[in-house]
Amino acid sequence: MPELKIGIIGAGRIGRIHAENIARFIPQVKLEGIADIKLSDEQEAWAKGLGARIVSRDPGDILKDDGIKAVLICSSTDTHADLAIRAAGAGKHIFCEKPVDLSVPKVKAALEAVKKAGVKLQIGFNRRFDHNFARIREYTLAGALGGVHIVKITSRDPEPPPPAYVAVSGGIFIDMMIHDFDMARFQAGSGITEVYASGACLVDPEIGKAGDVDTALVSLKFENGAIGVIDNSRKAVYGYDQRVEVFGSGGAAIADNDLPNTVKISSASGVTGEKPLYFFLERYKDAFINEINAFAEAVLQDKPVPVSGEDGLEDMYAALAAGLSLKEKRPVTIAEIRASYREK
Amino acid sequence: MPELKIGIIGAGRIGRIHAENIARFIPQVKLEGIADIKLSDEQEAWAKGLGARIVSRDPGDILKDDGIKAVLICSSTDTHADLAIRAAGAGKHIFCEKPVDLSVPKVKAALEAVKKAGVKLQIGFNRRFDHNFARIREYTLAGALGGVHIVKITSRDPEPPPPAYVAVSGGIFIDMMIHDFDMARFQAGSGITEVYASGACLVDPEIGKAGDVDTALVSLKFENGAIGVIDNSRKAVYGYDQRVEVFGSGGAAIADNDLPNTVKISSASGVTGEKPLYFFLERYKDAFINEINAFAEAVLQDKPVPVSGEDGLEDMYAALAAGLSLKEKRPVTIAEIRASYREK
Amino acid sequence: MPELKIGIIGAGRIGRIHAENIARFIPQVKLEGIADIKLSDEQEAWAKGLGARIVSRDPGDILKDDGIKAVLICSSTDTHADLAIRAAGAGKHIFCEKPVDLSVPKVKAALEAVKKAGVKLQIGFNRRFDHNFARIREYTLAGALGGVHIVKITSRDPEPPPPAYVAVSGGIFIDMMIHDFDMARFQAGSGITEVYASGACLVDPEIGKAGDVDTALVSLKFENGAIGVIDNSRKAVYGYDQRVEVFGSGGAAIADNDLPNTVKISSASGVTGEKPLYFFLERYKDAFINEINAFAEAVLQDKPVPVSGEDGLEDMYAALAAGLSLKEKRPVTIAEIRASYREK
Amino acid sequence: MPELKIGIIGAGRIGRIHAENIARFIPQVKLEGIADIKLSDEQEAWAKGLGARIVSRDPGDILKDDGIKAVLICSSTDTHADLAIRAAGAGKHIFCEKPVDLSVPKVKAALEAVKKAGVKLQIGFNRRFDHNFARIREYTLAGALGGVHIVKITSRDPEPPPPAYVAVSGGIFIDMMIHDFDMARFQAGSGITEVYASGACLVDPEIGKAGDVDTALVSLKFENGAIGVIDNSRKAVYGYDQRVEVFGSGGAAIADNDLPNTVKISSASGVTGEKPLYFFLERYKDAFINEINAFAEAVLQDKPVPVSGEDGLEDMYAALAAGLSLKEKRPVTIAEIRASYREK
């Protein structure tokens, strides 16, 4: 079997997930190196334990290594674009965690560099690889739903992030709903043309003070004529609520939450089952594996990546449009956002 | 539309249900008379309010009326057989609540009279007409399950009857599980050949003192080679638990309980839905209507009744076999029970 | 038991439902009269069969009868307001099918007349009395959901109406979604302040030619700060899709569709259950009974009606705002609509 | 963290599962050696790839290694008892796949050797560690079900084994239902006292020719007074059907099957979801990990193993009793089986 030799830049939470998944579950990928500018002794031992040949505080050690064909950029968001440009310059294929950057021009610069270098770039929208959501898309592609009319996405976190995080997060649309914009485009099989956002601060007033909302609902129009809606909450007391519904001329497909077990207990007070799996690490465990497998296949078989840099840019436009819509209390087209960056 | 003119004997709970169902929901049946040997003033007013032409304390007033073509025998069990014989003698078609009698010879005598008179006799095993259980049977008859291999019936009451009732009830197999024996034969599409009963007194020691068990499990063999099991409890704290499963070479059909509503509430302590509908009046509300409609059609269109007197006798044999099995701690064949009554 | 003597004006589909429900299931209401300006012989026989004392082609015969204390207005929409005014003038309490009128000034005139006469007016938003949706509201009122943050309503019909009907229906918001606006206000426990509508003609181009959309999604803001969304389709191939979800600080309550039975069949191709109950007659069967019982109680016990004329007016404002939003591609406040009618 | 160094004997399917689970998921266990008397080159490479220090065709190489503290016996059933005796003699703790042997005296000899050596022996009844079934037991232990009254176990395979396998398997009770006897004792929290078995050959006549049944139902009595039932089929067309229900004085807990995803598709022909996970490798994936973790904890912390050699023997008695019951068409007590081996 051909094997993709990769290096990982960034040994934080998501970097570790990818590294361990590759070591355990992804035989077609070989972990050659791990770099983190703040690599701790503990991280160093961990990286060596996984069999990494290069363990370093300098991402350049990964980028300049001839044996490494692809990099996973898992460092902090503000470093994504620069690292992507450097990696492209070094001729490495790139898997980059979302978002590429909070600044559209920097994203565009990275995409330009990738294009020029002729390398592949996949963005880490892992939810497309979820067993439930991928199954819905399969139904749609198989024609089981007919033409898509309505896409509905529910996405609620079990706990809000700390207000300090909220302040630098780019806001709920960039930080949280961007996943759902990507899911919406994926399920609709079509680009978003317009959004209208409602939002409120109902969970934690501190989030409001940080200039953000914690509850949001965005209605969507798609290029293919379908319509849709996404709702987000920063706090669902029953856990991570991740559901998708696609309704079409031939039927509807609905994905419910995953549960830790199927047991239902019938008692004098009702019939009770489990709450959803707690958060994204539990829910999207397999999706993280699947997305790396898909990236490896795209590189090894020279196929298009399933989530391109352009996808990441489109999702960002949708998030920016939602933010503007909320601020100006009007529907905002993606064309308007796109145009605003063309002029700059 | 042809109309079946009927009289009801017995104005207790089940008689009232049938009378009101006929008045409200069953246009092809006309309620002509109601008789109850202990008819109260309140019952008399109620019966007249329903439009009954004959309201009497003498069942004979029903039986001798030429306009009435069929009777519903809803009086106490000990009067069923005699009334059935008298009704047959009067040329009336008969719908008789279960059981026909606790004594096999009396049941046989009633069946003989019915046969001789050439009238129809349907026994009130209403559960065959339940929307869930009838749907399973439809699947089986349509071939969707292939050949039937295993039949599983769960039947648990929300509350035990008073010990005084238990003492005269004939025991759990005659009083409660007889419905399930009928369901088992209905779903298997085949007679029962052998039973083996386990039982225990786990709910209420008073039931044990009355000579009965309150928890029972009976394994079944059917003529067609299928096997099965019924479990009964006199008390499920979560309400009336009525489920059926039929497993065959082509698949399985499972009927879950009916609920008062579909709402599920997700909270920090789990996802909770409603308990099953409380008891047989709620659960089998429509089944009581459906069985009378089926009886009326059998009479009006001169078709076989869906639950015959022979069915009632077979169910009783199964119940008696289960009682003997429990007592003697051995499997008991229906043939053994049947033979024991042939000799007598 | 005190009894409410009523007359019904209009013997079409909904009039017949109410009449038969009253005769069968609602002992506290007595059906005294039925009038329909086009009463057929068949309808006359039916009305007499139900025991109506007055059967007439002149609604005035109902309105002038001293024995009748309340009327159910079930005639065509264009007659509702006039009949309500006449009934109020005659001192009758009024149950009026929705909408009171397609013209706001006519609705206001009717409400004015009702107010002046001091009679009660209940609007036929039956879904508030559905066992599922009422249960959600009970949870909310009991505090089980905490404060309401998001309300989501799915409402899809099994078949579109004929294009000819669509042309005179007032459009999808007035004709179909008005039920959902009422449900939204009911579940939020709060008025709607703003709507933003998306719509498309995806089911039947003839509906588009008639000037309407057949697929619509409206996002909502409520006075209490909650947000919401309603989606409608004129055609769901799997039947009548009626679901509600309320999400709050303490949890979420979700009502799924009602099914004709609980059976699931497991076969080589999956595990399949029933489609939802076909349409509103099946789904809201009990809700039609419950709403008349609630009306009778409001009158007999001199309590406020559960769905007032003002509710009907608010729902209409929401529908008009949605129509304007769709047309002008902008969010529209209820205040704007309300103001536009104040000036006139 | 203390670490348990183990060797695996047998590199067939189950040996590979344990070896890979240990390498990937069980940090507290270190795989030191793998031996298989028929080790292929491919297996050798695989074993070395997992980091095994000892890779051999001689189990003795594992047993004599001082660094290895425990062995997993995953070889063919006929070698289990001898290897267990040798391992005990070598002072190794033992995890042994089920059954220890098909011969009770050989099982007893192995248990005797284990006892004498003072080592731990855990039997591979992995289903006790299933997330669903373990959850039910937790409910029972927490008192949520009150006293246990009825235990129901459904266990059906997706495909029958080849008839040649059936002929040497020991029969359905030893080969297949033994897992369910163990589950029954686990869920009842009590030993089995009596079984009554029904069986039929309904799936494949070749199984009948091999002297076995392919469909079986066994009713159970437990020491604590509870009753139960197990049903088995060698072929469920919809896949691996593994369900457990425990009913008690305080309620019921029911575990449904696991599904590959939660998607339900509503179409004109019904609402369809996925079939259960295909077979035991998919369904009990995590249970295989959990049981090794539990074994490691028992050894490292010197606690009792969760499934002892005596458990294995009790399960075998139940299976033998079921076989005798089926043959002699009578209920058979465990005491009778136990006594029959005492005499020998």
Side-chain angles (χ1 to χ4, degrees):
Chain A
M1 187 164 65
E3 199 182 47
L4 179 63
K5 295 183 176 176
I6 63 105
I8 295 178
I9 301 173
R13 184 167 60 180
I14 190 65
R16 293 182 78 115
I17 288 170
H18 288 309
E20 294 184 3
N21 282 341
I22 287 167
R24 287 174 180 166
F25 300 114
I26 309 181
Q28 68 181 327
V29 176
K30 184 158 191 319
L31 177 64
E32 291 281 314
I34 294 179
D36 192 301
I37 53 168
K38 297 182 179 173
L39 196 77
S40 68
D41 289 352
E42 187 273 332
Q43 284 171 317
E44 187 174 341
W46 161 81
K48 286 180 176 164
L50 287 177
R53 182 169 51 82
I54 303 169
V55 178
S56 165
R57 280 193 183 76
D58 179 3
D61 290 343
I62 301 282
L63 297 176
K64 73 184 181 205
D65 188 90
D66 284 347
I68 290 174
K69 299 301 177 199
V71 294
L72 274 55
I73 302 178
C74 305
S75 48
S76 63
T77 296
D78 58 327
T79 67
H80 287 182
D82 284 345
L83 283 167
I85 290 167
R86 288 174 63 192
K92 309 298 187 203
H93 299 292
I94 304 163
F95 177 96
C96 184
E97 281 302 322
K98 59 112 251 187
V100 176
D101 199 278
L102 295 180
S103 144
V104 169
K106 287 190 73 177
V107 175
K108 285 187 162 183
L111 266 55
E112 192 57 35
V114 163
K115 195 176 174 186
K116 200 170 149 192
V119 296
K120 293 181 190 294
L121 168 63
Q122 180 173 327
I123 311 299
F125 283 107
N126 56 297
R127 296 185 193 174
R128 291 192 183 205
F129 303 90
D130 175 65
H131 56 302
N132 295 338
F133 303 152
R135 186 74 182 96
I136 294 184
R137 186 63 186 147
E138 286 170 23
Y139 276 126
T140 306
L141 290 174
L145 304 180
V148 174
H149 292 184
I150 303 173
V151 173
K152 296 176 74 174
I153 298 172
T154 298
S155 179
R156 300 170 189 153
D157 283 354
E159 292 287 348
Y165 171 87
V166 169
V168 299
S169 69
I172 196 169
F173 302 116
I174 287 283
D175 180 57
M176 181 172 171
M177 200 181 280
I178 199 163
H179 270 293
D180 306 302
F181 289 121
D182 190 68
M183 182 56 60
R185 296 192 313 108
F186 174 61
Q187 294 293 355
S190 180
I192 296 169
T193 58
E194 187 204 283
V195 304
Y196 178 69
S198 309
C201 191
L202 302 171
V203 170
D204 182 355
E206 292 301 312
I207 292 174
K209 287 179 194 164
D212 202 1
V213 294
D214 50 35
T215 306
L217 189 144
V218 174
S219 50
L220 308 165
K221 294 180 186 171
F222 298 97
E223 283 165 14
N224 63 4
I227 52 184
V229 66
I230 298 165
D231 75 87
N232 275 186
S233 170
R234 286 288 196 180
K235 183 173 177 63
V237 294
Y238 50 88
Y240 197 43
D241 193 348
Q242 298 282 297
R243 288 174 286 147
V244 168
E245 171 172 351
V246 177
F247 170 79
S249 56
I254 302 182
D256 209 339
N257 286 304
D258 279 347
L259 308 179
N261 62 65
T262 66
V263 179
K264 289 198 177 155
I265 180 164
S266 296
S267 71
S269 58
V271 179
T272 300
E274 298 287 344
K275 292 184 291 182
L277 292 175
Y278 179 64
F279 210 174
F280 69 97
L281 293 180
E282 294 84 7
R283 167 57 188 267
Y284 293 117
K285 190 162 59 101
D286 289 342
F288 287 119
I289 297 169
N290 298 342
E291 69 174 352
I292 300 299
N293 263 318
F295 173 64
E297 277 171 35
V299 172
L300 292 170
Q301 301 169 26
D302 195 16
K303 298 189 306 184
V305 294
V307 197
S308 70
E310 285 67 31
D311 280 311
L313 189 57
E314 286 298 308
D315 297 333
M316 175 164 290
Y317 287 153
L320 293 167
L324 187 61
S325 171
L326 184 70
K327 187 178 164 200
E328 302 194 348
K329 299 177 190 298
R330 63 176 177 91
V332 174
T333 64
I334 303 303
E336 175 183 340
I337 301 296
R338 197 181 282 122
S340 75
Y341 286 104
R342 217 168 277 146
E343 294 161 13
K344 288 168 192 174
Chain B
M1 186 165 63
E3 199 183 46
L4 180 64
K5 294 183 176 174
I6 63 105
I8 294 177
I9 300 173
R13 185 168 58 180
I14 190 67
R16 293 181 78 115
I17 288 169
H18 288 310
E20 294 183 3
N21 282 340
I22 288 166
R24 287 174 180 166
F25 301 113
I26 310 181
Q28 67 180 328
V29 176
K30 183 155 191 322
L31 177 64
E32 291 281 314
I34 295 178
D36 191 302
I37 52 168
K38 295 182 179 173
L39 197 76
S40 67
D41 289 352
E42 188 272 333
Q43 284 170 318
E44 188 173 340
W46 162 81
K48 286 181 177 164
L50 288 177
R53 183 170 49 85
I54 303 169
V55 179
S56 165
R57 281 193 183 76
D58 179 4
D61 290 342
I62 301 280
L63 295 176
K64 73 184 179 203
D65 187 273
D66 283 347
I68 290 174
K69 299 299 176 200
V71 294
L72 275 53
I73 302 179
C74 306
S75 48
S76 64
T77 297
D78 59 327
T79 67
H80 286 182
D82 284 344
L83 283 167
I85 289 167
R86 288 175 62 192
K92 309 297 187 203
H93 299 293
I94 303 163
F95 177 96
C96 183
E97 280 302 321
K98 59 111 250 185
V100 176
D101 199 277
L102 295 181
S103 144
V104 169
K106 288 190 72 176
V107 175
K108 285 187 163 182
L111 265 54
E112 193 57 36
V114 163
K115 195 176 171 186
K116 201 170 148 192
V119 296
K120 291 181 189 296
L121 169 63
Q122 180 173 328
I123 310 299
F125 282 108
N126 56 297
R127 296 184 193 175
R128 292 193 184 204
F129 303 90
D130 174 64
H131 55 302
N132 296 338
F133 304 153
R135 187 73 181 98
I136 294 184
R137 186 65 186 145
E138 285 171 23
Y139 276 126
T140 306
L141 289 174
L145 303 181
V148 173
H149 292 185
I150 304 174
V151 173
K152 296 177 74 174
I153 298 173
T154 299
S155 179
R156 301 170 189 155
D157 283 355
E159 292 288 347
Y165 171 87
V166 169
V168 300
S169 69
I172 195 168
F173 301 116
I174 286 284
D175 181 57
M176 182 171 171
M177 201 181 279
I178 198 163
H179 270 294
D180 306 303
F181 289 122
D182 190 68
M183 181 56 60
R185 295 191 314 106
F186 173 61
Q187 295 293 357
S190 180
I192 296 168
T193 58
E194 187 203 283
V195 303
Y196 178 70
S198 309
C201 191
L202 302 171
V203 171
D204 183 355
E206 292 300 314
I207 291 174
K209 287 180 194 162
D212 202 2
V213 294
D214 50 34
T215 306
L217 189 144
V218 174
S219 49
L220 307 166
K221 294 180 186 170
F222 297 97
E223 283 166 14
N224 63 5
I227 53 185
V229 66
I230 298 165
D231 75 87
N232 274 186
S233 169
R234 287 287 196 181
K235 183 172 176 64
V237 294
Y238 50 86
Y240 196 42
D241 193 348
Q242 299 282 298
R243 288 173 286 147
V244 168
E245 172 172 349
V246 177
F247 171 78
S249 56
I254 303 182
D256 209 338
N257 286 304
D258 280 347
L259 308 179
N261 62 65
T262 66
V263 179
K264 289 196 177 158
I265 180 164
S266 296
S267 71
S269 58
V271 179
T272 300
E274 297 287 343
K275 291 184 291 183
L277 292 175
Y278 178 66
F279 210 174
F280 69 97
L281 293 180
E282 293 84 7
R283 167 56 188 268
Y284 293 117
K285 188 161 60 100
D286 290 343
F288 287 118
I289 297 169
N290 297 343
E291 70 175 352
I292 300 299
N293 263 318
F295 174 64
E297 277 172 34
V299 172
L300 291 170
Q301 302 170 26
D302 195 14
K303 298 190 304 185
V305 293
V307 198
S308 70
E310 285 69 30
D311 281 312
L313 189 57
E314 286 297 309
D315 297 333
M316 176 164 290
Y317 287 152
L320 293 167
L324 187 61
S325 172
L326 184 70
K327 189 179 162 199
E328 301 194 348
K329 300 177 190 298
R330 62 176 178 92
V332 174
T333 65
I334 303 303
E336 175 183 340
I337 302 295
R338 197 182 281 120
S340 75
Y341 285 104
R342 217 168 278 146
E343 294 160 13
K344 287 169 194 173
Chain C
M1 187 166 65
E3 198 183 47
L4 180 63
K5 294 183 177 175
I6 62 105
I8 295 177
I9 299 173
R13 185 168 58 179
I14 190 67
R16 293 183 78 115
I17 288 170
H18 288 309
E20 295 183 3
N21 281 341
I22 288 166
R24 288 174 180 166
F25 301 113
I26 309 180
Q28 68 180 328
V29 176
K30 184 157 190 320
L31 177 64
E32 292 281 313
I34 295 178
D36 190 302
I37 54 169
K38 296 182 179 174
L39 197 77
S40 67
D41 289 351
E42 187 273 333
Q43 284 172 317
E44 188 174 340
W46 161 81
K48 286 181 176 164
L50 287 178
R53 180 169 51 83
I54 302 168
V55 179
S56 165
R57 282 194 183 76
D58 180 4
D61 291 342
I62 301 281
L63 296 176
K64 73 185 181 204
D65 187 273
D66 283 347
I68 290 174
K69 299 299 177 199
V71 294
L72 274 55
I73 301 178
C74 306
S75 49
S76 63
T77 297
D78 58 326
T79 67
H80 286 182
D82 284 344
L83 284 167
I85 290 166
R86 288 175 62 193
K92 310 297 187 203
H93 299 292
I94 303 162
F95 177 96
C96 184
E97 280 302 323
K98 59 111 249 185
V100 176
D101 198 278
L102 295 180
S103 145
V104 169
K106 288 191 71 177
V107 175
K108 286 187 163 183
L111 267 55
E112 192 58 34
V114 162
K115 195 176 173 187
K116 202 171 147 192
V119 296
K120 292 181 189 296
L121 169 64
Q122 181 172 327
I123 311 299
F125 283 109
N126 56 297
R127 296 184 192 175
R128 292 192 183 204
F129 304 89
D130 175 65
H131 54 303
N132 295 338
F133 303 153
R135 186 74 181 97
I136 293 183
R137 186 65 186 146
E138 285 170 26
Y139 275 126
T140 306
L141 290 173
L145 304 180
V148 173
H149 292 184
I150 303 173
V151 173
K152 296 177 74 175
I153 297 173
T154 299
S155 178
R156 301 170 189 154
D157 283 356
E159 292 289 347
Y165 171 87
V166 169
V168 300
S169 69
I172 196 168
F173 301 116
I174 287 283
D175 180 58
M176 182 172 171
M177 200 181 279
I178 198 162
H179 270 294
D180 306 302
F181 289 121
D182 191 67
M183 181 56 60
R185 295 192 312 108
F186 174 61
Q187 295 293 355
S190 179
I192 296 169
T193 58
E194 187 204 283
V195 303
Y196 178 71
S198 310
C201 191
L202 302 170
V203 171
D204 183 355
E206 292 301 313
I207 290 174
K209 288 180 194 161
D212 202 2
V213 294
D214 50 36
T215 305
L217 190 145
V218 174
S219 49
L220 308 166
K221 294 179 187 172
F222 297 97
E223 283 166 15
N224 62 4
I227 52 185
V229 66
I230 298 165
D231 74 87
N232 275 187
S233 170
R234 286 289 195 181
K235 183 173 177 62
V237 294
Y238 51 86
Y240 197 44
D241 193 348
Q242 298 283 297
R243 288 173 285 149
V244 167
E245 171 172 351
V246 176
F247 171 79
S249 56
I254 302 182
D256 209 338
N257 286 304
D258 279 347
L259 308 179
N261 62 64
T262 65
V263 179
K264 288 196 178 159
I265 179 164
S266 296
S267 71
S269 58
V271 179
T272 300
E274 299 287 343
K275 291 183 292 182
L277 292 175
Y278 179 64
F279 210 174
F280 69 96
L281 293 180
E282 293 83 8
R283 167 57 189 268
Y284 294 117
K285 191 162 58 101
D286 289 343
F288 287 118
I289 297 169
N290 298 342
E291 68 175 352
I292 300 300
N293 262 320
F295 174 64
E297 277 172 35
V299 173
L300 292 170
Q301 301 169 26
D302 196 15
K303 297 189 307 185
V305 293
V307 197
S308 70
E310 285 68 31
D311 281 311
L313 189 57
E314 286 298 308
D315 297 334
M316 176 164 290
Y317 286 153
L320 292 167
L324 187 61
S325 172
L326 184 70
K327 189 178 162 199
E328 301 193 349
K329 299 176 191 298
R330 63 176 177 92
V332 174
T333 64
I334 303 303
E336 174 183 339
I337 301 296
R338 197 181 281 119
S340 75
Y341 285 104
R342 216 167 278 145
E343 294 161 12
K344 287 169 193 175
Chain D
M1 188 165 64
E3 199 183 48
L4 180 63
K5 294 183 176 174
I6 63 105
I8 294 178
I9 299 174
R13 186 168 58 180
I14 191 67
R16 293 182 78 114
I17 288 170
H18 288 309
E20 295 184 3
N21 282 340
I22 287 167
R24 288 174 180 167
F25 301 114
I26 310 181
Q28 68 181 327
V29 177
K30 184 156 191 321
L31 177 64
E32 291 281 313
I34 295 178
D36 191 302
I37 53 168
K38 296 181 180 172
L39 197 76
S40 67
D41 289 352
E42 187 273 331
Q43 284 171 317
E44 187 173 341
W46 162 81
K48 287 179 176 164
L50 287 178
R53 181 170 50 84
I54 302 169
V55 178
S56 165
R57 282 194 182 76
D58 179 5
D61 290 343
I62 302 280
L63 296 176
K64 74 186 180 200
D65 188 273
D66 284 347
I68 290 175
K69 299 299 176 199
V71 294
L72 274 54
I73 301 179
C74 305
S75 49
S76 63
T77 296
D78 59 325
T79 66
H80 286 182
D82 284 345
L83 284 167
I85 290 167
R86 288 175 64 192
K92 311 297 187 203
H93 299 291
I94 304 163
F95 176 96
C96 184
E97 279 303 321
K98 59 112 250 187
V100 175
D101 199 278
L102 295 181
S103 145
V104 169
K106 288 190 72 176
V107 175
K108 286 187 162 182
L111 266 54
E112 192 57 34
V114 163
K115 195 176 172 185
K116 201 170 149 193
V119 295
K120 292 182 189 294
L121 167 64
Q122 180 172 326
I123 311 298
F125 282 109
N126 56 296
R127 295 184 193 176
R128 291 192 183 204
F129 303 90
D130 175 65
H131 55 303
N132 295 338
F133 303 153
R135 187 73 182 98
I136 293 183
R137 186 66 186 145
E138 285 170 25
Y139 276 126
T140 306
L141 289 174
L145 303 181
V148 173
H149 292 185
I150 303 174
V151 173
K152 297 177 72 174
I153 298 172
T154 299
S155 178
R156 301 170 189 154
D157 283 355
E159 293 288 347
Y165 171 87
V166 169
V168 300
S169 69
I172 196 168
F173 301 116
I174 287 283
D175 181 58
M176 182 172 170
M177 200 181 280
I178 198 163
H179 270 295
D180 306 302
F181 288 122
D182 190 69
M183 181 57 59
R185 295 192 312 109
F186 174 61
Q187 294 293 356
S190 179
I192 296 169
T193 58
E194 186 204 284
V195 302
Y196 177 71
S198 309
C201 190
L202 302 171
V203 170
D204 183 354
E206 292 301 313
I207 291 173
K209 287 180 194 163
D212 201 2
V213 295
D214 51 34
T215 306
L217 190 145
V218 174
S219 49
L220 308 166
K221 294 180 187 171
F222 297 97
E223 283 166 15
N224 63 4
I227 53 184
V229 65
I230 298 165
D231 74 88
N232 275 187
S233 170
R234 286 288 195 181
K235 182 173 177 62
V237 295
Y238 50 86
Y240 196 43
D241 193 347
Q242 298 282 297
R243 288 172 286 148
V244 167
E245 171 172 349
V246 176
F247 171 79
S249 56
I254 302 182
D256 208 338
N257 286 304
D258 279 347
L259 308 179
N261 62 65
T262 65
V263 179
K264 289 197 178 158
I265 180 164
S266 297
S267 71
S269 58
V271 178
T272 300
E274 299 287 342
K275 292 184 290 183
L277 292 176
Y278 179 64
F279 210 174
F280 69 97
L281 293 180
E282 294 84 8
R283 168 57 188 269
Y284 294 117
K285 189 162 59 100
D286 289 343
F288 287 118
I289 298 169
N290 298 341
E291 69 175 351
I292 300 300
N293 263 318
F295 173 64
E297 276 172 35
V299 173
L300 292 170
Q301 301 169 25
D302 195 15
K303 298 191 304 186
V305 293
V307 196
S308 70
E310 286 67 31
D311 281 311
L313 188 59
E314 286 298 309
D315 297 333
M316 176 165 289
Y317 286 152
L320 292 167
L324 187 62
S325 172
L326 184 70
K327 188 179 162 198
E328 301 194 349
K329 299 177 190 299
R330 64 176 177 92
V332 174
T333 64
I334 303 303
E336 176 183 338
I337 301 296
R338 196 181 282 119
S340 75
Y341 285 103
R342 216 169 278 146
E343 295 162 13
K344 287 168 194 175

